[in-house]
Amino acid sequence: DELAREGGVDTTSVDLQQQRRQEPRLFWLDQTGALQKLQYGAHGYASNFCLSILDQNFRPNMNEKEAVELVRSCFEQLRVRYILNSP
């Protein structure tokens, strides 16, 4: 039932609409139509490097400064490990 509401089927509940406005959410929708809520995400070639950093260091209660630092550490790993950046 929750997935149906998140997919846009149930738009009648004012409480749910207000909650959606107050709380950002991230979802993954695959090619078969399965919808899954995520805490973080990375896509493409960079995901091979970034997901391990996010797995180890992400916390749901991070403040903005900690989140920015986490993203910067992902970018730093890409600078070090990305094949096109080799000397």
Side-chain angles (χ1 to χ4, degrees):
D1 190 33
E2 176 68 21
L3 293 178
R5 285 195 302 269
E6 292 300 331
V9 176
D10 180 9
T11 59
T12 59
S13 174
V14 174
D15 293 334
L16 286 174
Q17 289 176 356
Q18 288 176 350
Q19 182 183 5
R20 286 186 188 126
R21 286 189 206 110
Q22 295 173 358
E23 180 180 309
R25 299 179 189 189
L26 178 64
F27 291 92
W28 174 264
L29 179 64
D30 71 8
Q31 65 270 18
T32 63
L35 185 67
Q36 182 163 357
K37 188 173 181 181
L38 301 175
Q39 294 183 343
Y40 54 84
H43 301 280
Y45 188 68
S47 68
N48 295 325
F49 304 114
C50 292
L51 285 176
S52 63
I53 294 169
L54 294 170
D55 286 339
Q56 293 174 8
N57 299 309
F58 176 81
R59 293 185 328 274
N61 60 348
M62 295 175 79
N63 62 37
E64 184 177 350
K65 183 178 179 182
E66 293 170 328
V68 168
E69 187 58 37
L70 180 58
V71 171
R72 285 189 177 150
S73 67
C74 289
F75 277 109
E76 183 58 34
Q77 281 300 310
L78 292 176
R79 283 187 203 96
V80 170
R81 297 179 181 268
Y82 206 73
I83 295 170
L84 298 176
N85 198 28
S86 295

